[in-house]
């Protein structure tokens, strides 16, 4: 079992581009059955399928599945909740990029994945690690508190040790669980940070009036600028956790 810090080279700002570096852990040869859990637009599903593996992309967003089917009509996609996988020992590999941090009930998620895997099957996943986007989260929590509302953390971003223990408890044998920084430029230049907050912390912003929302966005930008602004774009402190584990 490998557990260490690792800094990755700078890459472009596309989730799927980052996800490609995770592919090295997946056997994509013909005959392999792969589940792409949380496939989004299906771009990584297509990469997983390029060598002839039998790949199914699933996502709980109907909108994403429509996009994936439109972009990759030759591939199989289904609208399915990761916490309700209708599979029993069907897949050689479950692959998941940038999804686990959205699912706080990780024990349930791992139990579903375990059931979907064949005996000895492999889980390959990457998602937010502890301290992921810490600067923005802390700035948002402080601004929210100043305006009378406590920010409740919704993302599941564990340390490698915590996730290792969860894998063991779910009867996986971890081969590697490691974390690394992934400095990530936000698209949108000077507005990039507020776009991110409006998109991903939408439900935390919504309880405030429009004018307070605007104040919060400005306060978050002001707090983050000294650390994240490089003169032309915000570079956000993403931290990733990458794990490879086998079903016991
Ligand atoms: C991420 O780490 O990819 C992420 C975390 C929270 C919201 C959106 C994305």
């Amino acid at each position: 079992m490998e557990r260490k810090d690792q800094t990755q080279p700078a890459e472009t700002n596309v989730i799927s581009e980052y996800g490609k570096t995770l592919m090295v852990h997946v056997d994509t040869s013909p005959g392999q059955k792969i589940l792409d859990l949380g496939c989004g637009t299906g771009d990584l599903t297509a990469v997983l399928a390029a060598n002839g593996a039998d790949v199914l992309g699933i996502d709980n967003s109907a909108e994403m599945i429509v996009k994936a089917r439109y972009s990759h009509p030759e591939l199989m996609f289904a609208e399915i909740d990761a916490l309700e996988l209708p599979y029993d020992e069907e897949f050689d590999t479950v692959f998941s990029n940038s999804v686990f941090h959205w699912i706080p009930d990780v024990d349930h998620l791992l139990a579903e994945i375990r059931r979907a895997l064949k005996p000895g099957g492999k889980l390959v996943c990457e998602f937010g690690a502890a301290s992921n986007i810490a600067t923005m989260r802390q700035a948002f929590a402080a601004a929210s508190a100043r305006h009378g509302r406590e920010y409740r953390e919704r993302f599941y971003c564990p340390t490698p040790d915590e996730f290792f223990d969860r894998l063991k408890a779910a009867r996986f044998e971890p081969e590697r669980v490691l974390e690394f920084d992934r400095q990530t430029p936000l698209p949108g230049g000077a507005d990039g940070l507020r776009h991110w907050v409006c998109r991903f912390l939408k439900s935390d912003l919504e309880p405030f009036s429009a004018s307070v929302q605007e104040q919060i966005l400005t306060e978050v930008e002001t707090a983050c600028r000294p650390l994240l602004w490089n003169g032309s774009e915000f570079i956000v402190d993403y931290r990733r956790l990458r794990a490879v584990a086998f079903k016991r």
Side-chain angles (χ1 to χ4, degrees):
M1 212 299 285
E2 183 183 346
R3 263 199 257 192
K4 65 177 184 208
D5 277 343
Q6 179 181 293
T7 301
Q8 297 261 312
E11 292 162 289
T12 60
N13 183 32
V14 181
I15 290 176
S16 315
E17 284 299 318
Y18 289 123
K20 282 182 190 167
T21 69
L22 192 53
M23 300 282 174
V24 296
H25 302 293
V26 184
D27 179 355
T28 58
S29 55
Q32 288 291 306
K33 277 200 78 178
I34 302 171
L35 180 67
D36 182 5
L37 185 148
C39 63
T41 57
D43 294 344
L44 288 180
T45 321
V47 180
L48 288 165
N51 285 342
D54 178 4
V55 188
L56 170 66
I58 62 164
D59 206 290
N60 71 349
S61 158
E63 192 188 333
M64 282 299 165
I65 292 299
V66 168
K67 281 187 184 166
R69 285 185 178 138
Y70 179 81
S71 304
H72 307 283
E74 74 288 5
L75 299 178
M76 277 187 308
F77 296 100
E79 183 189 336
I80 289 175
D81 188 329
L83 295 179
E84 293 176 14
L85 298 182
Y87 309 113
D88 258 307
E89 303 197 344
E90 284 190 35
F91 296 95
D92 297 289
T93 301
V94 172
F95 173 91
S96 182
N97 181 49
S98 273
V99 173
F100 279 31
H101 49 252
W102 293 106
I103 306 177
D105 193 351
V106 68
D107 295 331
H108 185 175
L109 175 63
L110 291 175
E112 293 290 311
I113 291 171
R114 188 175 187 285
R115 185 164 35 77
L117 282 169
K118 294 177 183 174
K122 195 180 198 185
L123 166 64
V124 176
C125 61
E126 187 171 310
F127 58 102
S131 90
N132 189 39
I133 49 171
T135 310
M136 274 195 297
R137 281 153 76 191
Q138 283 160 12
F140 186 86
S144 186
R146 275 194 298 276
H147 292 278
R149 212 183 156 81
E150 189 189 341
Y151 167 68
R152 286 268 197 86
E153 190 56 71
R154 284 181 294 109
F155 301 114
Y156 173 68
C157 295
T159 63
D161 283 351
E162 282 164 21
F163 193 61
F164 180 89
D165 291 344
R166 299 267 50 87
L167 285 168
K168 291 292 263 190
R171 290 184 290 150
F172 281 90
E173 195 51 51
E175 180 188 86
R176 65 180 65 206
V177 182
L178 49 86
E179 60 179 334
F180 54 91
D181 287 325
R182 199 194 70 197
Q183 302 298 325
T184 303
L186 298 182
D191 288 332
L193 191 72
R194 64 173 48 219
H195 288 163
W196 192 99
V197 172
C198 289
R199 178 170 175 204
F200 293 116
L201 299 179
K202 189 168 183 262
S203 57
D204 304 289
L205 262 181
E206 272 170 354
F208 297 102
S209 69
S211 68
V212 172
Q213 288 187 21
E214 187 52 39
Q215 285 175 54
I216 288 175
L217 290 169
T218 304
E219 288 171 28
V220 173
E221 282 172 339
T222 304
C224 290
R225 196 167 285 115
L227 291 163
L228 305 182
W229 177 251
N230 74 355
S232 54
E233 57 192 354
F234 284 98
I235 311 285
V236 174
D237 48 355
Y238 277 61
R239 191 159 176 83
R240 307 323 269 174
L241 189 150
R242 178 175 289 193
V244 176
F246 293 89
K247 173 174 173 172
R248 275 198 270 136

